[in-house]
Amino acid sequence: MQLHVSPATGVPLYLQIESQLKHAIAAGALKQGDTLPSVRKLAADLRINPNTVARAYQNLERDGVIRTVPGGGTFVANNVPGLLKSEKLKRLKPFALQVAVEGTQLRLTRDEILKQVHVALDELGEKS
Amino acid sequence: MSEFAILTDGLMKHYSETRAVDGLHLHVPRGSLYGFLGRNGAGKTTTIRTLMGLLRPTGGSARMLDMRVPEEQIAILQRTAYVSEKKALPPSMTGEHLVRFNRPFYRSWSDALAAKCAQRLEIPMDQQFKKLSLGNRTKLCLLMALAQGAELLILDEPTLGLDPVIMDELLKLLIEDYAVEGRTVFLSSHRLAEVERVADWVGIIDHGKLLLEARLDDIRTEYCRINASGNALPVNIGPQILSAVFSGSLCEYVVRNDADRFVAELRSQGATILDVSPLNLGEVFLLLVRKEEPCTSGNVGATPAALSPST
């Protein structure tokens, strides 16, 4: 799987890496037990600072998305992040708001906006 | 052992009327890749030349790898590699000659690294330095510095004349080489995009003074642009609100620190928040460096104005 980061957006690079890996796991492109590249290799591939990659990995490990075996590499964790439901909903909220704002600005109806979310969920479901 | 590879305390270099470096306090952490940014004539090269012992400081002090500049310069040079702004090497020597000539001066010299650089950066090693193009001269200087295997690498505008392919290879080489434990890279540039990729620390210098020194990820989370609409939006620019540009009932704010609280405040006053987005390094740079020329939008700098009238 290929990651891409763009410094020009101003979004911290470690957050870009985190969200792309989470997305790849949600979409089934990365499966439980898959090996992730080492910090040094990913940093060289993306031409970014190794400390930035290390920070992303640390955060993902704290969230239970990946696990690191000392001397043995980094893997996609076996179980899905055990976050509280309220925490999960809190994380999703800004994205829901963004969909709502964009949709309203495009003068789409409530049903049309909701339908797009359903379509996106269906597409994800087919891949995994 | 200090946690800083380079530490300066009120470093000054004045030329009669010109204050090229004017009380500089640099803190370059060991193991960082530090981007030293500024406009042309901001004082980047003068700072570096002073650190390398090529210029005598007018005042203040500096330490590199815990050693005093310039008193312990010989010991510093033994463990520091340097690519100068001018990219000059003996004109009649070829790359191969230069490798043989430089090798015995450095204990940690690596022929393997020299060969790797020559191949990856596509350097014609059998041609005299004076016959090389600007880009190839830069590349050969970089090879000489990287092959030293030094603890501290000081690069003054290392990307001068490089094409995009070589530029990309250089970044990769720097990361691979730099990722070796404890090594520090200090590079000056005004090309922000490349620095923004590889650096983890950034210092912005203008008129010989440091305007900002911080971890790059912190800069990215600290500065935010907020678009809001509503009646009676706050207009008072202060330490937190750096600028506010109105058009009708819309307002674009640039804020520093605690954007969440500011957003909540706006919401409680009945405003609609349309968009919150972080600033990239280029935008932060312009915001800080341009503050002396306030435009009609009322841009105000983040730090108190501290500009010398000269230059």
Side-chain angles (χ1 to χ4, degrees):
Chain A
M1 90 146 275
Q2 201 66 42
L3 297 178
H4 297 279
V5 293
S6 165
T9 61
V11 177
L13 297 181
Y14 71 96
L15 288 181
Q16 295 186 30
I17 296 173
E18 283 175 43
S19 78
Q20 285 180 32
L21 283 174
K22 281 178 183 168
H23 187 96
I25 293 167
L30 280 174
K31 296 197 172 57
Q32 294 181 0
D34 281 358
T35 314
L36 295 174
S38 69
V39 167
R40 208 166 149 174
K41 168 141 198 326
L42 187 56
D45 286 349
L46 295 175
R47 318 289 195 264
I48 62 172
N49 198 287
N51 295 334
T52 308
V53 177
R55 186 166 179 184
Y57 277 16
Q58 275 159 20
N59 288 347
L60 287 169
E61 185 158 22
R62 190 198 56 211
D63 291 352
V65 179
I66 62 173
R67 68 192 160 84
T68 303
V69 179
T74 305
F75 306 93
V76 178
N78 288 328
N79 24 26
V80 197
L83 290 174
L84 289 171
K85 186 72 170 282
S86 60
E87 177 66 16
K88 289 182 185 171
L89 289 173
K90 196 177 143 201
R91 287 197 186 186
L92 188 66
K93 199 177 168 193
F95 299 104
L97 182 65
Q98 202 179 341
V99 170
V101 169
E102 293 285 336
T104 310
Q105 275 176 351
L106 293 168
R107 294 171 199 272
L108 295 169
T109 66
R110 177 177 287 262
D111 285 343
E112 284 164 333
I113 295 169
L114 288 173
K115 195 180 161 210
Q116 284 300 313
V117 176
H118 285 300
V119 168
L121 282 170
D122 290 344
E123 282 173 3
L124 267 183
E126 277 165 25
K127 277 190 219 163
S128 57
Chain B
M1 194 170 87
S2 150
E3 60 180 305
F4 300 110
I6 303 174
L7 192 61
T8 72
D9 183 19
L11 190 69
M12 283 191 272
K13 179 65 193 176
H14 296 178
Y15 299 99
S16 56
E17 292 302 299
T18 310
R19 300 174 168 198
V21 178
D22 197 15
L24 197 67
H25 296 273
L26 274 182
H27 307 80
V28 179
R30 276 185 200 259
S32 66
L33 202 159
Y34 190 107
F36 190 43
L37 310 173
R39 307 177 59 182
N40 297 328
K44 302 188 296 288
T45 295
T46 307
T47 303
I48 290 176
R49 286 173 59 82
T50 310
L51 289 173
M52 294 310 296
L54 299 169
L55 296 171
R56 287 246 157 212
T58 315
S61 66
R63 297 177 76 85
M64 299 227 287
L65 303 171
D66 288 333
M67 292 176 282
R68 280 171 297 137
V69 175
E71 290 85 349
E72 298 174 87
Q73 205 70 39
I74 304 279
I76 291 174
L77 294 179
Q78 186 63 245
R79 290 159 60 188
T80 307
Y82 169 51
V83 171
S84 77
E85 182 203 28
K86 295 215 169 73
K87 316 287 182 288
L89 287 169
S92 59
M93 290 175 85
T94 68
E96 284 154 2
H97 288 151
L98 283 162
V99 166
R100 255 180 284 148
F101 180 75
N102 276 16
R103 185 193 292 136
F105 287 102
Y106 303 101
R107 276 177 222 134
S108 48
W109 182 272
S110 161
D111 275 343
L113 201 47
K116 182 169 143 187
C117 289
Q119 189 235 326
R120 295 262 297 272
L121 299 180
E122 301 168 18
I123 308 174
M125 295 296 283
D126 54 356
Q127 279 188 37
Q128 289 184 319
F129 185 75
K130 65 181 173 197
K131 295 195 175 147
L132 296 176
S133 67
L134 175 63
N136 279 332
R137 287 181 188 193
T138 302
K139 291 191 268 181
L140 194 51
C141 291
L142 283 163
L143 177 146
M144 292 302 152
L146 285 166
Q148 274 184 41
E151 273 166 70
L152 174 60
L153 191 58
I154 297 197
L155 307 174
D156 197 352
E157 293 287 354
T159 57
L160 202 69
L162 299 187
D163 69 52
V165 176
I166 294 299
M167 184 60 230
D168 187 61
E169 273 303 322
L170 172 66
L171 293 184
K172 193 166 181 216
L173 264 177
L174 271 183
I175 288 160
E176 287 174 354
D177 176 61
Y178 149 84
V180 176
E181 191 114 9
R183 221 164 255 188
T184 310
V185 182
F186 181 80
L187 72 91
S188 84
S189 185
H190 50 247
R191 288 171 63 168
L192 299 172
E194 71 208 24
V195 169
E196 190 161 25
R197 273 198 106 81
V198 295
D200 58 344
W201 276 82
V202 167
I204 297 177
I205 183 178
D206 200 38
H207 296 272
K209 286 192 168 76
L210 211 55
L211 298 182
L212 174 77
E213 182 178 66
R215 212 181 268 280
L216 188 50
D217 277 331
D218 292 344
I219 298 176
R220 290 195 178 105
T221 33
E222 198 173 320
Y223 291 86
C224 262
R225 181 187 295 106
I226 296 166
N227 276 296
S229 83
N231 297 318
L233 292 167
V235 291
N236 45 326
I237 287 162
Q240 197 199 6
I241 305 174
L242 303 178
S243 80
V245 184
F246 286 90
S247 59
S249 67
L250 294 177
C251 182
E252 181 180 293
Y253 293 98
V254 174
V255 301
R256 180 182 191 182
N257 292 331
D258 229 347
D260 289 347
R261 211 183 64 200
F262 183 66
V263 165
E265 231 168 76
L266 287 178
R267 280 219 175 90
S268 71
Q269 290 163 16
T272 312
I273 308 297
L274 304 172
D275 184 37
V276 179
S277 58
L279 297 190
N280 65 32
L281 183 59
E283 291 166 319
V284 173
F285 183 86
L286 288 177
L287 189 74
L288 291 175
V289 171
R290 267 209 191 134
K291 71 186 170 199
E292 74 271 37
E293 6 179 310
C295 43
T296 47
S297 61
N299 268 340
V300 170
T303 47
L307 302 173
S308 66
S310 51
T311 60

